[in-house]
Amino acid sequence: MAAKKKELLEQEPAVIGTENSEAADSGAILLEEMADCTDAPAAAGEVEPELDELLSDMGPDLTGNAIPGSSDDELSCETADWEDSEVEVTGINDGASDPPPSASPKRAARKKSDTRSTKAVEQSDAMEGSVTSSFITEANGGETEALTAEMTEFTEDLAEGREPASASSPPASRRASRGRPAAEAPVLTIEARSEVETAEEREDVIWHEIHNAYRTRRILMGQLCGIEQTDSGKTIAIADYKGFRIVIPLKEMMIQVGRSPSGQAYADLMLRQNKILNNMLGAHIDFVVKGIDSKTRSVVASRQEAMLKKRQIFYLDSDSAGMYRIYEGRVVQARIIAVAEKVIRVEIFGVECSIMARDLAWDWVGDAHERFSVGDEVLVRVLGVRRDSLEEISVKADIKSVTQNNNSENLKKCRIQSKYAGKVTDVHKGVVYVRLSNGVNAVAHSCYDQRMPGKKDDVSFAVTRIDEERGVAVGIITRIIRQNL
């Protein structure tokens, strides 16, 4: 037994040496083949082989055949050890491929041959990658600009605080959202969390309001802005309600001028009604919608129905205390619907009445246009009410009783034989009525100037006496400072 063991020990180094020489020979052969593949394109007149030919010429080591001098079991074990080593794959540290000291010399030799094969595979992969990258670069040369544009948009989104398109939606949907029409996007307001209505939305809201008023017979208020003649010769009034045209027939305007005559008197009546309508232009009037056309958005209304409704509520119906809402002595608000030189016409909750110039103010008013305008709202005191029926209700009112009377205090500012500047308010039957600059009403029966004073002339007035009972100063006009021509 001892002799046999000794013989086996003597034979083992020889076997190991043989295997090492075989592995070295196989490695040398592999390196020569690689050199041939590398130097082949450099030869003059030769054609560069394809990638598949290069891989096939690199030997059976890359095609899955066994390495000479090793069994299948040993190769599988060595391949597993080679895959577990990260250093051998990268090829950075060749010393890491050496087996640990405890490994046998046979395994170390085989692993060295595997390392050489791995390096050859890496070189072939590098050659294949360079060839493939050149083809990819040529094929995708047109996509480089698109990729650059996407990266630019991505950077802009991050700088402006927006969410990148790649995180929320694909680029196609993002381009679609940027290109959508402005009508679909909400209005960008200056103030945060505020809302702005467009003209179309505002018109829809107003039309909806008119439609609801038509259904509920609610009273609306508009401005009288026109008088027209239809093709059939009828006169219609045009009112404006928040931009919408409201048509009111003349008979629905409730212009009371007495009973309707016939013949020439009827023509005179129509002329008078048209004149009244002309004076009412610009006035605020109430109306009730009688008909609408949703397609053309046309509206026909009646002022008469609105006024009759207000008469019933404010003149005939009583409040919770059992009293009329409008009664003698009450101060109410009225609308001025017409203005003339010596009179104004107001509408007091469905009833129209005229107020003369003497009842407009405590001081003398030469022209009502200087103080009042159509469309104004004034405070009036009701002096009397007559309630015969719904159609026959009349009111008497004035404006000056609402204000304070300062005539007695102003008279104290005047001195007899003193001269004051003033403006002529009226001339009637040779009597000149003057409004002095200190607020005193004055009367002049004579004038020292050769010219005759007229309305709105600036004059010099000399006081001869003071009439406290009438609250006026009496005197003469010494001269005309400036005539109103």
Side-chain angles (χ1 to χ4, degrees), residues 22 24-25 43 55 105 110 145 147-148 184 228-229 355 369 385 407 471 473:
E22 292 176 356
D25 296 336
L55 294 176
R110 291 176 179 175
E145 296 180 359
L147 181 59
T148 305
E184 298 180 2
E228 297 179 358
Q229 295 286 337
I355 302 177
H369 291 97
V385 181
N407 285 340

Side-chain angles (χ1 to χ4, degrees), residues 159-355:
E160 296 177 1
R162 298 194 300 266
E163 183 179 1
S166 59
S168 58
S169 60
S173 62
R174 179 179 177 181
R175 288 192 293 269
S177 63
R178 286 190 175 186
R180 63 183 178 181
E184 298 180 2
V187 178
L188 183 60
T189 58
I190 297 176
E191 297 182 0
R193 299 182 181 88
S194 61
E195 296 181 359
V196 176
E197 286 185 349
T198 61
E200 184 178 358
E201 294 174 348
R202 194 179 301 109
E203 289 182 0
D204 293 340
V205 172
I206 297 172
W207 178 253
H208 182 69
E209 182 181 353
I210 294 175
H211 192 273
N212 287 342
Y214 168 68
R215 296 176 58 188
T216 60
R217 289 295 186 267
R218 183 166 59 90
I219 298 175
L220 301 178
M221 184 188 71
Q223 187 178 23
L224 184 64
C225 59
I227 302 170
E228 297 179 358
Q229 295 286 337
T230 62
D231 297 337
S232 59
K234 295 183 179 180
T235 303
I236 58 174
I238 307 300
D240 176 77
Y241 179 75
K242 299 180 179 180
F244 281 88
R245 172 187 169 97
I246 311 297
V247 178
I248 304 176
L250 181 60
K251 64 179 182 179
E252 297 293 335
M253 285 296 295
M254 200 173 181
I255 300 176
Q256 297 179 346
V257 290
R259 296 181 179 179
S260 298
S262 59
Q264 183 63 31
Y266 179 77
D268 296 339
L269 175 64
M270 296 301 297
L271 183 62
R272 184 181 177 188
Q273 286 183 342
N274 290 333
K275 185 178 180 181
I276 293 175
L277 280 179
N278 290 331
N279 293 331
M280 290 179 60
L281 284 176
H284 294 92
I285 59 175
D286 296 322
F287 60 88
V288 173
V289 179
K290 302 288 290 185
I292 60 174
D293 186 358
S294 298
K295 294 183 179 179
T296 60
R297 291 193 170 181
S298 302
V299 183
V300 178
S302 170
R303 180 177 181 242
Q304 180 177 358
E305 183 174 344
M307 294 183 70
L308 293 177
K309 268 189 171 185
K310 297 181 75 172
R311 287 185 179 188
Q312 181 67 39
I313 296 172
F314 294 99
Y315 290 91
L316 299 180
D317 294 344
S318 58
D319 56 10
S320 59
M323 297 179 60
Y324 294 118
R325 290 179 173 83
I326 294 179
Y327 50 85
E328 183 179 346
R330 184 168 187 179
V331 178
V332 298
Q333 195 174 25
R335 298 179 188 145
I336 299 177
I337 60 176
V339 178
E341 184 179 7
K342 295 295 183 180
V343 65
I344 67 171
R345 192 165 182 84
V346 297
E347 186 250 315
I348 307 173
F349 294 94
V351 179
E352 296 181 2
C353 72
S354 299
I355 302 177

